[in-house]
Amino acid sequence: MKRIELSFGVIALLATALCFSGDAAGRFDQKLLLDKQYVHVLNRLTFGPRPTDLQQIRQTGIEKWIDQQLHPERIPENPALESRLKPLESLNLPMWQIMEKFSQPPAVFMVRRPESQIAMSTLSQQIQARLRNGSVEERMNTIAGLDPNTRRLVLAASTPQMLEGLPEMLQQEAMRLRQAEQDELQKERQRMMPPINELLSPEQNRLARQGTRDEKLALINSFESPKRQQVLRALGPGPFADVPQLRREVMMLTQPQQVAHGELIENKVYRAIYSNHQLEEVLVDFWINHFNIYNGKGQARLYLTSFERDAIRPYVLGRFKDMLLATAHHPAMLFYLDNWQSQAPREDQPGQAPPPPGAARPGLNENYGRELLELHTLGVNGGYTQEDVIAVARAFTGWTIFDTAKYAEFQFNPGFHDRKEKTVLGQTFPAGRGEQDGLDVINILASHPSTAKFISKKLAQRFVADDPPQVLIDRMAATFAKTDGDLRAVLQTMFSSVEFMSDGAWQAKMKSPLEMVVSAVRAVNADVSDTTALSQRIAELGQPLYGKVEPTGYPNTGEAWTNTASVLGRINFATALLGGPFPGIKVDMSRFNFKNPASVAGEILSTAPSPQTLASIEMGIQNKEATPSLLSTLVLSSPDFQRR
């Protein structure tokens, strides 16, 4: 495919138009024309229309099409999606199996723990304490009292602090023993993981790094295990960027946690591109962002697969209270916001003075309590106080994780729980009720009027406009309260509103990087066999999937995505996608052959392009061959496409 180059003038024009286009200026009481309604619904309830979607919604009718999306169980799933998800093993495993299979590299490639460290750990706590902190005489006597083999191993494991002040002869003996052990471990490491030049001939090494996809597969498949594994481990994932199955095999040998998390990202991108249950996927993305978990915090990376599958996906069209409880129980949330370690001191123990009134208790962690109130339910102006934050944190003491490294299951530990009386938002909980304290907090927050308003506003921001009309929010909040937080009913209220289908909502939203990248792939009907490069582009544009550090999640409004650098990145992505080759993606541009700019733009946008977009295209093709790829790149880079 011919490389596409856009002139600086065209890039500057597109970037300026996007950065300063602002929100739509239309009125929220002025209904869209029918042709725009079809496109508007597709742009808001999906990750962007595919070539056949416009015809389908016209045939079905808007009301019926929306109702089907609100009941995804009535829509057959896309076989293309099912075939792509089938190899992603971790998606269907229970938490304990994910931990078992993906938490550590295979034991065959793990160099054994030094024998000296093992010996040191088997000593009694008293002996270890004397060796680490005792006087010179105490350390000398302790070492002299060990049997010869244990003495040798302990000397090899001794730190400089443990040897300080001991006779020079003893220190030199410890150094020799430590060096001998390290030399032996290095030999063992080389036996298990020999360098690549000992495993492959120069020609094999060249094929592995520079050969075609088929040559790489043939080479690796020619080796028997364990040599195959040794070769893959020595080469690393780099040479296999174009061979996903070998790349995954390398990662399983070296960084299995990355494999499980990579499969979760693949699952997200594939579903966004191919699923027929588009509204469900949009909602899963919305709620996983609302209950954000950062993938870079310890074991949270392995917990996220279950979190999205078990605590988010089943509830996106159900009751908010059920999802809130599922997230509160889930190890991912308990770990990320530190509640698993939060505990109240046992003040009835001798010598432990009670803390001053209103102060956070030692061992009490307020992170989850604060974010539960501020981000998950009431909102920052929802009417709670610092005393409520502390009381909620106390109510959730004891909500912890059983064996974070092996099973990672929710556990209520009564020994951690604050047993005393608590008052949350004016409601008093008697002492000694255990786990029920937290359950009652969930019930209070899920039914609170501030929660109804906060959740309704966030949904309206996602589906209507960055600054949605207050009358719409109030209507949605009333539905939330009347239906006990039935999210499907709240969405129905919004989708059937005049504000949703208004001129004020038309193209009022800037696409996030995820939405932009996926909608581009869908618009050109690309065939995606590997999502790695797409995920990398989404991250480069500012939205690494599951990678938001702060519990706030990614912005729900457009300001964060409209700076000049972000806009130029989007233009570069469109250029790379259609200028190809783009890893893991095939795009057939033949359907645009011999078509003029307005026709190409109309097919990609599913609506007539604006005069500004047509002017940008005309400028972009000056003195150039107006190929389908160039025309399509200009359309994907336009404000018409970047907004939804």
Side-chain angles (χ1 to χ4, degrees), residues 53-295:
D53 286 347
L54 187 59
Q55 180 182 358
Q56 181 185 4
I57 194 173
R58 280 176 170 158
Q59 290 175 346
T60 305
I62 289 175
E63 187 175 339
K64 183 177 179 181
W65 188 91
I66 292 176
D67 185 66
Q68 288 176 340
Q69 288 293 320
L70 285 167
H71 296 86
E73 69 280 1
R74 300 175 186 173
I75 308 172
E77 190 50 284
N78 186 352
L81 171 65
E82 294 171 343
S83 67
R84 284 164 173 78
L85 297 185
K86 189 175 181 180
L88 308 182
E89 178 187 9
S90 62
L91 299 182
N92 299 312
L93 295 179
M95 179 76 87
W96 69 270
Q97 286 187 326
I98 292 175
M99 302 302 295
E100 182 177 76
K101 187 174 181 66
F102 295 97
S103 62
Q104 296 291 340
V108 67
F109 286 110
M110 293 177 66
V111 177
R112 63 180 172 84
R113 187 181 176 194
E115 192 177 356
S116 62
Q117 292 183 12
I118 297 173
M120 182 71 79
S121 67
T122 61
L123 298 176
S124 71
Q125 293 295 320
Q126 186 179 16
I127 291 177
Q128 290 187 50
R130 284 204 302 267
L131 288 170
R132 290 191 174 95
N133 305 313
S135 65
V136 171
E137 184 179 358
E138 287 174 330
R139 283 179 279 143
M140 282 282 295
N141 291 337
T142 300
I143 292 172
L146 301 173
D147 66 78
N149 186 55
T150 303
R151 175 184 179 280
R152 175 179 61 83
L153 294 171
V154 165
L155 284 176
S158 295
T159 64
Q161 180 183 354
M162 294 164 61
L163 296 170
E164 186 178 357
L166 299 184
E168 182 69 21
M169 185 180 302
L170 199 60
Q171 293 191 38
Q172 290 181 358
E173 181 184 0
M175 187 181 301
R176 287 195 303 271
L177 290 168
R178 183 162 54 247
Q179 186 61 50
E181 184 177 59
Q182 291 301 316
D183 291 345
E184 184 59 34
L185 287 172
Q186 182 61 27
K187 290 178 184 178
E188 183 179 346
R189 188 177 291 110
Q190 289 180 345
R191 286 195 301 270
M192 294 169 59
M193 297 177 288
I196 194 65
N197 61 352
E198 293 182 12
L199 293 167
L200 299 180
S201 68
E203 175 61 15
Q204 288 175 323
N205 197 0
R206 185 193 68 80
L207 286 177
R209 298 181 187 279
Q210 303 171 16
T212 66
R213 181 180 181 279
D214 290 341
E215 287 172 337
K216 292 176 183 178
L217 276 169
L219 174 66
I220 299 303
N221 288 337
S222 69
F223 299 125
E224 298 286 338
S225 186
K227 183 175 180 179
R228 174 191 180 101
Q229 296 180 357
Q230 290 176 326
V231 168
L232 289 174
R233 189 178 179 91
L235 286 168
F240 305 113
D242 56 340
V243 194
Q245 61 268 48
L246 292 182
R247 187 178 67 236
R248 183 187 189 280
E249 193 173 343
V250 173
M251 297 299 288
M252 280 299 295
L253 292 169
T254 57
Q255 301 177 64
Q257 284 196 21
Q258 286 282 70
V259 175
H261 189 61
E263 290 184 348
L264 178 62
I265 292 175
E266 285 186 80
N267 173 67
K268 186 181 190 72
V269 178
Y270 274 138
R271 284 180 178 274
I273 294 170
Y274 285 108
S275 179
N276 289 339
H277 306 159
Q278 278 288 295
L279 176 59
E280 182 178 32
E281 297 310 320
V282 168
L283 290 170
V284 169
D285 179 60
F286 173 87
W287 287 111
I288 199 72
N289 193 57
H290 180 81
F291 293 104
N292 180 60
I293 304 287
Y294 173 49
N295 64 8

Side-chain angles (χ1 to χ4, degrees), residues 619-641:
M619 181 178 177
I621 61 176
Q622 284 181 3
N623 304 318
K624 292 185 177 71
E625 181 185 357
T627 63
S629 295
L630 176 58
L631 291 174
S632 301
T633 297
L634 290 165
V635 177
L636 294 184
S637 303
S638 70
D640 283 3
F641 185 80

